[in-house]
Amino acid sequence: MKGLSGSRFCFYVGFVVGTLSLYLFLRQVWFERSMELPVLGGIQGSSVAAVAEEKQASDSDNWSVEGAALINLNHPHHTGEDSRVADELYQKVRILCWVMTGPSNLQTKARHVKATWSRHCNVVVFMSSVDDPDFPTVGLGTGEGRDQLYWKTIRAFHYALEHHGNDADWFLKADDDTFVVVDNLRWVLSNHTPEEPLYFGKRFKPYAKQGYMSGGAGYVLSKEALRRFVEGFKTKVCTHTTSVEDLALGQCLEKMGVLAMDSRDTLQRETFHPFVPEHHLTGKFSKSFWYWNYCYYPIVEGPQCCSDLAVSFHYVDAELMYTLEYWTYHLRAYGYRHRYRPPLPQGLVERLAQTERATVGTAGRGTIPAGIIVVGGGNQSKMEAVSYKGAPRGGKIPMDNNRTAVTQESQQ
Amino acid sequence: MLSEGSSFMKGMALGGIFCLLLSLLGSFTPGMQSSPEDQHHHHHIKAPTNDELQSLSEPQMVELSQKVRVYCVIMVQPKVLVYWATAKDTWSKHCDQAVFYSSESAKALEAVDLNEQDEWTKLRKALKHAYDNSGDLRWFFVARPTTFAIIENLKYLILAKDPNEPFYIGHAMKSGELEYVEYESGIVLSYEALRRLVNVFKDEEKCPERGRALWKLSEEKQLAICLKYTGVFAENGEDTQGKGLFNSKSVSSLIEDGMSKNPLDVVEGCCSDLAITFSGMSPNQMQVMMFGVYRLRPYGHNFHDSLIFFPPEGSDND
């Protein structure tokens, strides 16, 4: 009797001790979590799902599918931003993007192009060897592989002119591992007219007198240039000479009197890039690398390799596609006044009476409209608060880069 | 005796299993009895909205913009000199004052030598040094060697906050009952929080210099405990949509996660447009971030922000 109750008592004590000690242990070790998760895990999870759903629904409002082409009805932009200039350019500089791809690349590469930068084109067509009504892609009736590249290019451009000659002014060719910032391409093209025979891209010098444009970095033909390309094949001035697509195209265009243009920005920095950003910004090209002998313009290594308004990068894998889309269209530094502030294209100055603090002129001097607070850049050991008591009310105050300005007058 | 002992053991084992089962079932989380209410106690800090900014008067805005200056405390190690060199050449140029703190001195490394290997002690010494040398700077940001910070976005977050109030901001985490800011994604302290912290450093009972717990707590948790004694609590920095602004991973890593978790909207579900920190980046990746944050943009999309931050002098990668 006594033994039984004693062991039962021990059992209960053991039970309590076991529970308590495990509770303490778990509390310290297991119940770590981010404060975001309980609040956000639910919210963020559902908001992302909601956004994805919204996106699919609105996708049909934003895109109309005509055959194999995706026609962009609304230029995408974010809440809180002033895209008047970009919208003007979207109307004025219409671009058809065609993406060179193939059946085996649709899910691994082309899909990510479709989800990212191609949404900013006026029209986008995915060119493959085989028709695919679901993606959708155009079947060019060729095979696949490097030796088919020029055939695909020839047929793709013919298709573009025949089916979409009136839907666009400029025709861009890109690979499914090229990332293009289409808004910046519009800026490059904005001071040119599509009625002239012109073509832009990353300019290489060998084998052609005026040079030719790198295929991987993407190149763009004006409507007149495209007409002449197609005409050249009709009249047999141009034929399928080699499978080296970019060189062959360049040679044909040269024969047809199309001009190879300089696509660099106003500080002579390249906009079309044949490699990924990391390679251009941080890599050192070995002196024996072919690149040195190919580039038409002098190679710049380091940060000045690339324009702020970069147009393209090549050898971009899926992850980098989304990363670049995030860097370009999403991530920014609040209030940051960029060093490079190029002037508006001529055609737009009249149409837009007033823009933001867009200064006319290069980085450095500029005018700040009233009511904006200016803070000095980092690493300035002295900050002078300058008051503009003598300044005209409601007017603009000329400023230079180095001074910290305090608010000007109040808005009237 | 033996039967009692074995009963005891059986009881203990059963008790342990019982507790485990209950917590696994999820409806009972012993660590947070007040879990639903707890969510209301979670502190979140959001940046000011446009309406809030516009409701401020001119002199108020001026005062705020002068107060929002950041002293960056950047922890480095001579073992990996390249991180010091990269931070110096990239994001730290946007701090009003950037000071590097090293565990030991080394040639070519321009940093304050803390002469200390223990992580918590290093952090204490660095924060004390920062407090003593802050001049008229009122905000402090603590970074690890592989952290990348966008100081302008930090300034925007804390713009309307008074540094004479205690603030302890970052990616807030919860361990049991303790709320702390994750070290890896950067820690933000206001002047008042740092002042209280430096004061409590003197108290060996509440805030010992060398951790004395049975198992050693990480330095981020030690910091939280010391601050808690002074009445300062961790707050989560987030944007207007509730997305965290402080990240302990790099952009590519977060994008990679997004590609598997929500492949239909990778970029939207990734990170905030006004993110403040990323971490775990290589030196090359930091250089590319400078391009991505401060330079690369689509022409014609403009923002009417209420502040203008000028680029720093003597720099060309931003």
Side-chain angles (χ1 to χ4, degrees), chain A residues 278-299:
Chain A
E278 188 170 332
H279 203 153
H280 287 282
L281 290 164
T282 65
K284 299 247 171 286
F285 297 109
S286 113
K287 286 296 184 269
S288 59
F289 190 43
W290 58 265
Y291 193 57
W292 289 98
N293 294 322
Y294 267 59
C295 289
Y296 193 91
Y297 303 108
I299 294 180

Side-chain angles (χ1 to χ4, degrees), chain A residues 15-91:
Chain A
F15 188 87
V16 170
V17 168
T19 316
L20 274 175
S21 47
L22 200 70
Y23 158 76
L24 284 170
F25 174 71
L26 285 176
R27 200 173 128 150
Q28 271 310 105
V29 169
W30 196 30
F31 298 117
E32 292 233 8
R33 53 190 212 201
S34 165
M35 269 169 74
E36 273 171 31
L37 285 176
V39 184
L40 231 53
I43 294 178
Q44 187 158 359
S46 63
S47 77
V48 169
V51 168
E53 256 177 55
E54 246 178 60
K55 188 167 181 292
Q56 281 182 314
S58 68
D59 256 0
S60 53
D61 306 325
N62 286 332
W63 291 93
S64 91
V65 183
E66 287 179 20
L70 297 166
I71 313 262
N72 200 342
L73 303 170
N74 295 306
H75 190 205
H77 42 66
H78 304 278
T79 48
E81 77 176 33
D82 170 9
S83 318
R84 278 176 298 167
V85 176
D87 289 342
E88 275 296 317
L89 283 177
Y90 183 81
Q91 311 287 345

Side-chain angles (χ1 to χ4, degrees), chain A residues 3 6-7 10-11 13-15 17-19 22-23 26-28 30-36 38-40 44 48 51-52 55-56 75-78 80-86 89 112 181 183-184 187 269 277-278 281-282 303-304 306-310 313 318-319 322-340 342-345 356-357 368 371-380 383 385 399 401-403 406-408 410, chain B residues 3-4 7-8 10-12 14-16 18-20 23-24 29-33 35 39 42-44 53 58 61-62 65-66 69 92-96 150 152-153 156 171-177 179-180 215 217 221 234 236 242-244 251-252 255-256 259 262-269 271-275 278 284-285 287-289 291-313 315-318:
Chain A
S7 72
C10 282
F11 179 84
V13 170
F15 188 87
V17 168
T19 316
L22 200 70
Y23 158 76
L26 285 176
R27 200 173 128 150
Q28 271 310 105
W30 196 30
F31 298 117
E32 292 233 8
R33 53 190 212 201
S34 165
M35 269 169 74
E36 273 171 31
V39 184
L40 231 53
Q44 187 158 359
V48 169
V51 168
K55 188 167 181 292
Q56 281 182 314
H75 190 205
H77 42 66
H78 304 278
E81 77 176 33
D82 170 9
S83 318
R84 278 176 298 167
V85 176
L89 283 177
H112 307 296
V181 186
D183 293 88
N184 291 345
W187 175 74
R269 297 180 302 192
E278 188 170 332
L281 290 164
T282 65
Q304 300 310 312
C306 316
S307 174
D308 287 19
L309 302 178
F313 293 100
E319 192 185 285
Y322 294 107
T323 306
L324 280 167
E325 179 87 0
Y326 174 65
W327 278 335
T328 313
Y329 286 95
H330 291 261
L331 184 63
R332 66 190 185 90
Y334 184 83
Y336 189 67
R337 189 169 193 260
H338 298 110
R339 285 185 202 276
Y340 183 57
L344 275 180
E356 42 114 24
R357 312 181 291 281
I368 316 284
I372 304 288
I373 314 297
V374 179
V375 184
N379 248 348
Q380 291 183 349
M383 272 176 65
M399 297 254 334
N401 221 353
N402 303 334
R403 268 189 305 171
V406 161
T407 180
Q408 290 78 30
S410 54
Chain B
S3 71
E4 282 166 6
S7 302
F8 182 84
K10 277 188 230 160
M12 247 190 79
L14 221 64
F18 172 72
C19 182
L20 205 65
S23 25
L24 279 171
T29 49
M32 13 231 113
Q33 291 102 334
S35 169
Q39 290 186 9
H42 286 186
H43 305 283
H44 307 276
L53 284 179
E58 293 289 315
M61 272 298 267
V62 172
S65 59
Q66 283 177 331
R69 297 173 69 226
S92 70
K93 288 187 281 195
H94 294 251
C95 301
D96 294 277
I150 305 169
E152 287 80 5
N153 292 346
Y156 178 52
H171 178 209
M173 308 273 290
K174 211 165 155 76
S175 165
E177 296 251 326
E179 292 173 8
Y180 66 95
W215 52 80
L217 284 177
K221 290 184 194 153
N236 196 45
K243 279 192 203 166
V251 179
S252 6
I255 292 280
E256 204 183 316
M259 283 173 71
N262 48 306
L264 289 177
D265 222 348
V266 179
V267 179
E268 195 59 49
C271 339
S272 175
D273 288 12
L274 292 169
F278 294 97
N284 273 357
Q285 285 175 323
Q287 289 287 359
V288 182
M289 269 298 267
F291 180 71
V293 174
Y294 292 109
R295 296 176 56 202
L296 181 65
R297 61 198 186 272
Y299 186 78
H301 297 261
N302 300 313
F303 294 88
H304 299 290
D305 297 329
S306 306
L307 290 183
I308 300 182
F309 293 109
F310 276 131
E313 287 177 57
S315 170
D316 81 333
N317 58 359
D318 46 19

